[in-house]
Every structure is written in C-alpha cells, then in structure tokens.
Amino acid sequence: MKPVILVTSFGTSYNDSRHITIGAIEDAIREKYWQDYDIRRAFTAQIIIDKLKKRDGITIDNMTEALDRCVEDGVKEIVVQPTHLMAGLEYTDVKDELDKYADKFDKISLGDPLLTSDDDYKKVAAAIKENMASFDDGKTALCLMGHGTEADSNQVYTKMQETLTAAGHKNYFVGTVEATPSLDDVIAAVKESGFKKVVLRPLMIVAGDHANNDMAGDEDGSWKTEFEKAGFEVTTVVEGLGSVQGIQDLFVAHAQAAIDSLK
C-alpha cells in the first residue's frame, strides 16, 4: 500500500470554485507525487459534506472517515496537507484529530497552512500582485477580503498588510468580514489614500459564500455595496487564491517539507 497524502480542506458547496481552487491544489500535489503517494481528499466542514451529498450526490470523507479509511486500507505512512490560510481554529481541529491516530500509523506528518513563515507571506504577496497586475494601474485601490477569526491567528491579516506595504505595494488594503481590520477600517484607509476606484478580491482559498455574498453581493452591508455608497467605482474579482499558480506551488512546497520531516 502506497503512503498517503491527505489534502484536507474546509470545503465549499460552490462546485465551480471547488474545481479550480481545492481541486487545483490537489492536482498540483498529485502531479508531483502520484508515483510515490496516493493523493486523497477530506473536508472538515460537515455541513458542506452533507449539502454536497444531498444536492449533488457527491460523497466526500470528513477527516475521521478519511483517516479510518487509511487505517482499514493498511496505510503505514500518512502526510496530511491542509489547504487552510492560517494556523487558526480549523487547522487546530485538524491537528487534534490527527493526534488521535498517532498509534495507527508508523509515520505521520502534518503540513503547514499557507501563511506560516515570513517567506510564505512574501511569496503569497508576490503571487497576488502578479495575479492582480491587470488592475494595478496606480489609480486603483486593490482590497483583499479575508474571513477573520477571534483567535490570535487573526494577526495574519495585519502581517499580510505589512508585507504588501513593505514591498512597496501601497495601493493594497487588507480587511476581514468577521474581525479586524473591518470593512469600515478598509473604506477609511482607501479614502485617506485618495483612490476613487477599488477592486475587491477574496483573501481566501475558495470563492464561496463570503466572496459571492459578503464581498460581491448587491445587498446592504456587502463590501461592494458599501464601497459604492461611499462613492467608489467598484470591480469585483470572485476568485479564490487556490486558483493562483503561485499559491498552488506554495502548498506543494509545504507538502514536500512535511514529507522531508519523516526522513
């Protein structure tokens, strides 16, 4: 039985986004390691797993099911590579679940989330800048909407802002849906900088509910609507970071580091 790389994601019920984000990350890992590893998928959001099963007839393992399946199959070595943005609550849940299986495998390794080292931040900033180059005309504020968390890991958004600014990208602004910096903070910062046009894109692996509704929706309270109310010309880019080549490459590098740690 081949060793397994279990690519573990929160998940999304947006099928198109799932294929070009989570699916693309899995494909990038599979392309590099298919000869030596069995690449498998798990989602951590049971509500999404249940919705996909009921709506589309798609069956996806949660992490417990995926790990149990590996045990039943006689897998001896497993690398779990999460597609999470940060080492927040979701990542901690993955780690805690994996710890329960410490005696079930000969070798276990957990890969890092996207934003872990200082170098990760620089690479993600560079990948975003390259991806957003067509909008970067010096006259437009490029606003990145993260999820936000009450956990200490929320500081990743401040650090990403600092990384972009330090690299000279003064027209980039980072905010969150559910924490700080808030939408009001971002609008105030963009106003102060004098920009009249804004482009909004999610600082999230997939473009799911938050990207489609909280960011690009037409309802009051969405980033698009509130920026328009504030007098800005708004363009939305509803694309998850997982569709960006540089982001996929970084997850592959994290998987490689997890594999190397077993040697």
Side-chain angles (χ1 to χ4, degrees):
M1 174 58 63
K2 281 184 179 180
V4 165
I5 299 176
L6 180 62
V7 185
T8 305
S9 307
F10 179 82
T12 180
S13 61
Y14 284 75
N15 292 342
D16 290 346
S17 182
R18 184 173 66 252
H19 293 319
I20 63 173
T21 57
I22 293 169
I25 294 165
E26 292 167 344
D27 287 345
I29 291 172
R30 185 175 292 105
E31 185 176 344
K32 180 161 185 180
Y33 300 110
W34 67 272
Q35 289 182 309
D36 300 314
Y37 289 85
D38 184 13
I39 314 303
R40 301 187 182 187
R41 164 187 282 182
F43 283 0
T44 57
Q46 191 64 44
I47 190 170
I48 290 173
I49 293 171
D50 293 343
K51 182 173 183 178
L52 290 173
K53 176 78 170 177
K54 183 177 180 181
R55 187 189 70 190
D56 304 326
I58 297 172
T59 300
I60 296 174
D61 284 344
N62 62 31
M63 196 174 169
T64 302
E65 291 166 342
L67 290 172
D68 285 346
R69 196 181 302 280
C70 288
V71 173
E72 291 165 10
D73 290 345
V75 174
K76 299 300 182 187
E77 177 181 325
I78 185 166
V79 172
V80 175
Q81 179 55 57
T83 66
H84 299 122
L85 189 79
M86 65 178 88
L89 301 176
E90 290 288 331
Y91 184 81
T92 301
D93 287 346
V94 168
K95 184 179 185 302
D96 290 346
E97 185 66 20
L98 190 59
D99 286 345
K100 297 176 187 175
Y101 288 79
D103 62 343
K104 303 289 187 184
F105 302 98
D106 294 343
K107 293 182 177 181
I108 294 182
S109 184
L110 176 62
D112 288 333
L114 184 68
L115 293 172
T116 303
S117 68
D118 290 346
D119 189 51
D120 290 341
Y121 283 86
K122 291 174 183 174
K123 285 178 177 173
V124 170
I128 291 171
K129 185 175 187 304
E130 182 179 350
N131 181 256
M132 297 288 283
S134 62
F135 301 104
D136 199 351
D137 59 3
K139 303 172 186 176
T140 304
L142 307 178
C143 302
L144 306 175
M145 185 194 80
H147 185 282
T149 174
E150 69 270 22
D152 291 343
S153 54
N154 195 70
Q155 59 84 30
V156 300
Y157 301 107
T158 300
K159 185 162 183 176
M160 179 52 69
Q161 179 71 73
E162 291 169 350
T163 302
L164 286 159
T165 303
H169 312 320
K170 303 288 179 66
N171 57 332
Y172 274 85
F173 300 85
V174 179
T176 68
V177 181
E178 297 186 359
T180 56
S182 66
L183 171 57
D184 289 343
D185 294 333
V186 177
I187 290 175
V190 174
K191 276 184 178 176
E192 189 177 333
S193 298
F195 294 104
K196 302 299 181 189
K197 297 189 295 181
V198 299
V199 173
L200 309 177
R201 81 155 294 157
L203 186 65
M204 303 175 180
I205 301 302
V206 303
D209 272 329
H210 287 302
N212 284 276
N213 299 316
D214 295 320
M215 188 191 81
D218 294 322
E219 301 79 14
D220 284 348
S222 78
W223 281 42
K224 174 176 176 283
T225 299
E226 296 307 311
F227 264 106
E228 287 173 345
K229 283 182 184 176
F232 293 93
E233 180 186 327
V234 180
T235 301
T236 59
V237 179
V238 187
E239 295 176 9
L241 292 178
S243 63
V244 177
Q245 180 71 52
I247 303 299
Q248 297 163 19
D249 292 344
L250 193 48
F251 277 119
V252 171
H254 285 189
Q256 183 63 58
I259 290 167
D260 291 344
S261 73
L262 293 173
K263 295 176 181 176

